[in-house]
C-alpha cells in the first residue's frame, strides 16, 4: 500500500516537473532573472491556468489566470496590496525585448511595426510604446512601455465532439463555418483543432475510411499555426498549407490560386475587402472556416460587413462559444438557413494544459 | 666557460624580449584589419540577411583569425547561455575575456566597448550607423598601428639583441 502511494506520488512529481520544465523552457527563458524567480515559484496549478503575463513599466507585474487576475511579490506569492507587488522596471522591459528577439531587434522590424512577436511554441508577445510615423503609416515603435505575454494553449482534440455538426454528409463537404465568441472563450483554439481534424481526417458514421481535406490557412497574425521561422509550432494537421502573416483577403485569393485547397481557414473576418475575397472563393466550391468576435447573432448583424455575409446566407453553421461550463463551451450551433439551434445542450470542449 | 654561456644566455633572452615586443607591433594592425573585415561581414548579415545575432556571430567567428574568432565565439556563447543577459553584456564579457591574449591596446578596446552598447538593440539603420562608425574608427587605429609598426618593429628587433650585447659588455 505504502509502495503504491509512493509510486503515485513519484508519478505526480514527474508530471509536475515535466510541465514546469516545459514552462521554463518555453516561457521563462524569455524573461529577465528577476521575473524568472517569481514565475519559478508558481505552483503547477497556477502554471496550468496561466493565460497572460503583463509587464508595464513602473507598474505591478500582473498574472492573468482563467478566472482571476493576480499581483505577485518578488518571491511569487500573490498579494492584494499594490505597494507589496513586484514592480516592473525599465530594465526588465528592455531585457525581455532583448531576450525575445535574441538581441536582434533589427531582424524584427516588421513584427515591431505590427506590435507583436511570436516566439517558439506559438506564444505571442504584444507590446506598445510610442509610435514613430512615416507619413500615415507606423514606421516603428519606440520607448516600449508595456508587454503582454499571451500563452497559446493548444488543446488537441477539443473539436472532436462538434466535428459531426460541421460536416455535410449528403454533399460530402465541410459546411461554411463561422465560429463566434467573445474574447478569451477559446475561439482560436477551437478553430485550430477544427483545422487539424479536417486536415488529419476523422471517421464519419456512414463511411469506412477517414474523411480528410486539403486545408489552406491564412494566418494573418500568426495565432493559429503559431509559425516561428516559417514552421508551424502547433499541430494543424498534415494536409495544411500555412500562409503566414499575410493579409486575409489577399491571402485567401493567393491560396486558391496556388495551393488548390478544399477548405480555406482564417481568423477574424470583418473588413470590407474580405467580402469580395470570400465570394470569389465560395464560387470556386471551396469551404470556408472562419471566426468573428461577438456573443449572439444580433451582435453580428450590428456590424455592416458581417450582416452582409449573414444575409447572403454564406455560412451554413454558426458555432457560438461562451463560458457557461468554463472557457471553450460550445453554447449553440445554428443552422445557416433556419437560424435554429441544432445542439441539444452546451458542450464543454476545453480541458487545458500545455 | 660559465661566463661565456651566461653571456650567451643574456643575449638570447634580450633578443627574444625584443622580438616579442616587435611582434606586438606587427600583430596589432593585423588584428585591427581582421576586426574590420569581420565587421563588414556582420554588416551584411544584419542589414541584408536579417540574421539573428547569435547565428551571425557564429558565422563570423568561423571566418575570423585566432583571437578575433574567440571574441565572436565567446560573445555568442554568453548570448545563448540563457542567463538573461543582453548583447551588450555578452560582448563586454567576451572582450574582457580575450583582452589578456590580444595585441589590441586600450584605445582599440575602448572603441569595441562602445560598439557593444548599441549592438542588436535597434533597427537596421541604427545598426548600420553603429557598425560604420566603428569601422571608421578602427581604420584610423589601424593606420596609427601601421605607423607605429614601421617605426618600432625593426627598432625593437635590433634593440633586443643590441641591449643584450651591451649588458654582457657592461657586466664582464
Amino acid at each position: 500500500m505504502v509502495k503504491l502511494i509512493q509510486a503515485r506520488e513519484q508519478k505526480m512529481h514527474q508530471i509536475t516537473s515535466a510541465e514546469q520544465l516545459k514552462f521554463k523552457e518555453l516561457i521563462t527563458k524569455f524573461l529577465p532573472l528577476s521575473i524568472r524567480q517569481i514565475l519559478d515559484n508558481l505552483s503547477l496549478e497556477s502554471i496550468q491556468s496561466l493565460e497572460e503575463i503583463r509587464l508595464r513599466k513602473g507598474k505591478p507585474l500582473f498574472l492573468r489566470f482563467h478566472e482571476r487576475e493576480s499581483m505577485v511579490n518578488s518571491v511569487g506569492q500573490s498579494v492584494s496590496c499594490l505597494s507589496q507587488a513586484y514592480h516592473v522596471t525599465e530594465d526588465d522591459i528592455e531585457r525581455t525585448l532583448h531576450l525575445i528577439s535574441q538581441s536582434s531587434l533589427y531582424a524584427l522590424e516588421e513584427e515591431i511595426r505590427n506590435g507583436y512577436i511570436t516566439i517558439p511554441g506559438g506564444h505571442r508577445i504584444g507590446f506598445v510604446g510610442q509610435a514613430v510615423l512615416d507619413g500615415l503609416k507606423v514606421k516603428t515603435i519606440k520607448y516600449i512601455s508595456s508587454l503582454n505575454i499571451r500563452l497559446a494553449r493548444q488543446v488537441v482534440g477539443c473539436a472532436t465532439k462538434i466535428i459531426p455538426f460541421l460536416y455535410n454528409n449528403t454533399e460530402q463537404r465541410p459546411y461554411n463555418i463561422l465560429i463566434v465568441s467573445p474574447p478569451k472563450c477559446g475561439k482560436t483554439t477551437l478553430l485550430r483543432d477544427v483545422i487539424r481534424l479536417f486536415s488529419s481526417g476523422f471517421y464519419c458514421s456512414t463511411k469506412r475510411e477517414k474523411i480528410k481535406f486539403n486545408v489552406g490557412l491564412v494566418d494573418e497574425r500568426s495565432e493559429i499555426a503559431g509559425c516561428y521561422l516559417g514552421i508551424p509550432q502547433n499541430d494543424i494537421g498534415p494536409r495544411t498549407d500555412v500562409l503566414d502573416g499575410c493579409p486575409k483577403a489577399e491571402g485567401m485569393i493567393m491560396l486558391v490560386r496556388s495551393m488548390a485547397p478544399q477548405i480555406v481557414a482564417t481568423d477574424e473576418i470583418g473588413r470590407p475587402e474580405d467580402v469580395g475575397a470570400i465570394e470569389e472563393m465560395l464560387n470556386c466550391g471551396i469551404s470556408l472556416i472562419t471566426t468573428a468576435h461577438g456573443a449572439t447573432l444580433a451582435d453580428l448583424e450590428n456590424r455592416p460587413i458581417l450582416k452582409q455575409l449573414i444575409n447572403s446566407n454564406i455560412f451554413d453553421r454558426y458555432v457560438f462559444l461562451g463560458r457557461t461550463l468554463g472557457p471553450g463551451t460550445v453554447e449553440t450551433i445554428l443552422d445557416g438557413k433556419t437560424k435554429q439551434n441544432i445542439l441539444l445542450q452546451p458542450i464543454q470542449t476545453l480541458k487545458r494544459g500545455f | 666557460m660559465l661566463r661565456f654561456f651566461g653571456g650567451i644566455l643574456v643575449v638570447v633572452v634580450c633578443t627574444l624580449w625584443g622580438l616579442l615586443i616587435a611582434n606586438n607591433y606587427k600583430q596589432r594592425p593585423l588584428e585591427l584589419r581582421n576586426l574590420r573585415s569581420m565587421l563588414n561581414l556582420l554588416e551584411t548579415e544584419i542589414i541584408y540577411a536579417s540574421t539573428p545575432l547569435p547565428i551571425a556571430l557564429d558565422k563570423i567567428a568561423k571566418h575570423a583569425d585566432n583571437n578575433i574568432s574567440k571574441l565572436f565565439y565567446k560573445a555568442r556563447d554568453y548570448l545563448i547561455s540563457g542567463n538573461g543577459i543582453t548583447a551588450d553584456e555578452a560582448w563586454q564579457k567576451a572582450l574582457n575575456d580575450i583582452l589578456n591574449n590580444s595585441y589590441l591596446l586600450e584605445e582599440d578596446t575602448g572603441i569595441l566597448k562602445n560598439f557593444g552598447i548599441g549592438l542588436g538593440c535597434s533597427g537596421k539603420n541604427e545598426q548600420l550607423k553603429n557598425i560604420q562608425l566603428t569601422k571608421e574608427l578602427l581604420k584610423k587605429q589601424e593606420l596609427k598601428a601601421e605607423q607605429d609598426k614601421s617605426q618600432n618593429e625593426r627598432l625593437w628587433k635590433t634593440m633586443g639583441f643590441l641591449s643584450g650585447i651591451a649588458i654582457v659588455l657592461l657586466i664582464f
Side-chain angles (χ1 to χ4, degrees):
Chain A
M1 189 66 188
V2 177
K3 261 188 185 173
L4 256 176
I5 293 172
Q6 270 177 351
R8 207 170 131 196
E9 265 173 11
Q10 206 176 357
K11 202 177 169 193
M12 279 303 291
H13 181 71
Q14 277 169 357
I15 295 171
T16 315
S17 40
E19 187 111 350
Q20 276 167 340
L21 264 181
K22 209 166 177 190
F23 180 68
K24 268 187 195 172
E25 211 174 278
L26 288 171
I27 313 287
T28 54
K29 78 166 188 193
F30 293 106
L31 291 164
L33 293 178
S34 48
I35 298 179
R36 243 184 249 189
Q37 273 174 354
I38 297 174
L39 296 178
D40 281 349
N41 288 334
L42 287 182
S43 67
L44 176 67
E45 203 183 334
S46 304
I47 288 177
Q48 278 173 333
S49 67
L50 187 64
E51 287 180 349
E52 284 176 0
I53 306 166
R54 284 184 175 269
L55 288 78
R56 300 183 178 99
K57 207 187 278 183
K59 301 274 164 29
L61 172 74
F62 284 104
L63 302 178
R64 170 145 194 96
F65 303 95
H66 280 341
E67 305 293 337
R68 65 193 167 94
E69 184 190 63
S70 125
M71 287 185 288
V72 282
N73 63 11
S74 50
V75 287
Q77 292 159 332
S78 75
V79 291
S80 53
C81 178
L82 266 180
S83 58
Q84 289 172 339
Y86 175 83
H87 280 62
V88 177
T89 62
E90 187 173 351
D91 188 55
D92 286 338
I93 301 257
E94 237 162 64
R95 274 175 192 275
T96 311
L97 277 175
H98 263 281
L99 293 172
I100 55 181
S101 67
Q102 292 188 301
S103 287
S104 320
L105 283 180
Y106 56 84
L108 299 170
E109 283 184 332
E110 188 62 36
E111 284 86 344
I112 290 173
R113 212 171 295 143
N114 291 332
Y116 64 84
I117 294 171
T118 306
I119 56 172
H123 310 290
R124 297 182 57 197
I125 298 172
F127 46 83
V128 289
Q130 188 184 344
V132 182
L133 295 185
D134 182 15
L136 286 174
K137 274 193 158 179
V138 176
K139 192 177 152 202
T140 183
I141 296 176
K142 62 177 179 180
Y143 308 133
I144 290 173
S145 57
S146 296
L147 294 170
N148 178 15
I149 303 171
R150 300 177 61 187
L151 307 192
R153 310 267 181 175
Q154 182 176 21
V155 188
V156 175
C158 69
T160 321
K161 285 182 200 161
I162 62 160
I163 204 84
F165 296 101
L166 308 179
Y167 178 68
N168 186 342
N169 225 339
T170 44
E171 291 180 29
Q172 302 206 332
R173 56 177 280 270
Y175 285 118
N176 296 321
I177 305 156
L178 181 66
I179 301 173
V180 189
S181 114
K184 310 206 67 52
C185 285
K187 185 169 19 82
T188 308
T189 314
L190 188 71
L191 173 67
R192 189 184 297 127
D193 206 50
V194 170
I195 294 170
R196 184 189 66 84
L197 276 172
F198 276 127
S199 168
S200 57
F202 59 94
Y203 288 104
C204 166
S205 52
T206 53
K207 263 189 167 183
R208 275 261 174 92
E209 71 241 48
K210 270 188 170 182
I211 300 162
K212 41 199 185 275
F213 295 96
N214 282 325
V215 184
L217 170 61
V218 190
D219 201 1
E220 184 171 357
R221 302 193 299 162
S222 307
E223 259 183 331
I224 307 168
C227 285
Y228 177 73
L229 302 177
I231 301 161
Q233 300 289 310
N234 292 321
D235 183 5
I236 46 165
R239 293 178 191 81
T240 308
D241 306 303
V242 188
L243 189 54
D244 189 39
C246 181
K248 280 181 278 282
E250 211 180 324
M252 285 191 268
I253 304 292
M254 274 169 75
L255 271 179
V256 172
R257 287 190 191 136
S258 57
M259 300 309 288
Q262 292 160 294
I263 301 173
V264 167
T266 176
D267 210 0
E268 286 170 28
I269 50 152
R271 279 198 297 236
E273 62 267 26
D274 296 344
V275 179
I278 288 175
E279 276 168 359
E280 182 166 341
M281 226 174 47
L282 296 183
N283 287 333
C284 308
I286 294 165
S287 299
L288 172 72
I289 306 176
T290 184
T291 67
H293 276 292
T296 60
L297 199 61
D299 283 350
L300 300 181
E301 282 175 337
N302 284 335
R303 292 159 66 185
I305 309 291
L306 289 176
K307 190 178 179 184
Q308 198 182 336
L309 290 174
I310 293 171
N311 286 345
S312 53
N313 278 338
I314 280 179
F315 296 107
D316 308 308
R317 290 285 182 267
Y318 297 92
V319 180
F320 286 89
L321 297 181
R323 276 176 176 255
T324 50
L325 305 174
T329 309
V330 178
E331 308 278 0
T332 52
I333 297 179
L334 301 190
D335 181 83
K337 288 200 180 71
T338 60
K339 308 280 190 296
Q340 293 299 314
N341 186 11
I342 52 172
L343 210 60
L344 292 174
Q345 60 186 43
I347 300 175
Q348 160 67 292
T349 55
L350 298 188
K351 196 174 159 288
R352 301 212 155 197
F354 268 95
Chain B
M1 197 60 184
L2 206 64
R3 277 183 164 196
F4 177 71
F5 279 114
I8 284 186
L9 193 70
V10 169
V11 172
V12 167
V13 167
C14 287
T15 310
L16 283 178
W17 174 63
L19 286 177
L20 206 71
I21 293 181
N23 191 42
N24 283 356
Y25 282 105
K26 189 182 156 195
Q27 294 296 333
R28 184 173 158 233
L30 291 181
E31 277 197 354
L32 285 168
R33 195 170 311 146
N34 193 234
L35 255 176
R36 225 155 42 88
S37 56
M38 289 310 116
L39 285 183
N40 261 333
L41 270 183
L42 185 65
E43 185 181 317
T44 320
E45 290 295 338
I46 287 182
I47 307 301
Y48 301 104
S50 290
T51 317
L53 203 54
I55 301 174
L57 290 175
D58 188 62
K59 275 188 184 171
I60 291 162
K62 278 178 191 147
H63 293 109
D65 292 344
N66 197 12
N67 263 328
I68 307 302
S69 169
K70 262 185 213 156
L71 170 68
F72 285 103
Y73 270 131
K74 290 212 159 180
R76 179 207 60 176
D77 289 345
Y78 283 124
L79 199 56
I80 58 172
S81 65
N83 289 335
I85 63 174
T86 64
D88 178 26
E89 288 162 347
W91 180 256
Q92 308 298 356
K93 270 186 157 185
L95 257 182
N96 283 336
D97 283 356
I98 64 139
L99 221 52
N100 285 340
N101 295 323
S102 150
Y103 298 101
L104 299 176
L105 300 181
E106 209 165 292
E107 45 191 302
D108 308 326
T109 44
I111 296 171
L112 291 176
K113 276 183 179 160
N114 284 337
F115 167 71
I117 295 171
L119 188 61
C121 64
S122 57
K124 279 183 187 165
N125 279 340
E126 285 70 27
Q127 291 297 310
L128 185 64
K129 276 182 209 157
N130 187 22
I131 293 175
Q132 280 178 343
L133 175 72
T134 312
K135 277 198 307 194
E136 235 164 78
L137 292 174
L138 285 179
K139 191 167 186 186
K140 276 186 193 156
Q141 290 302 106
E142 195 186 316
L143 285 178
K144 253 203 246 173
E146 284 287 355
Q147 264 178 5
D148 284 352
K149 180 190 159 191
S150 60
Q151 278 172 7
N152 296 321
E153 191 190 3
R154 184 169 288 177
L155 179 79
W156 277 100
K157 267 184 187 164
T158 42
M159 194 129 101
F161 176 68
L162 290 178
S163 55
I165 300 266
I167 291 169
V168 170
L169 287 179
L170 271 175
I171 292 176
F172 306 114

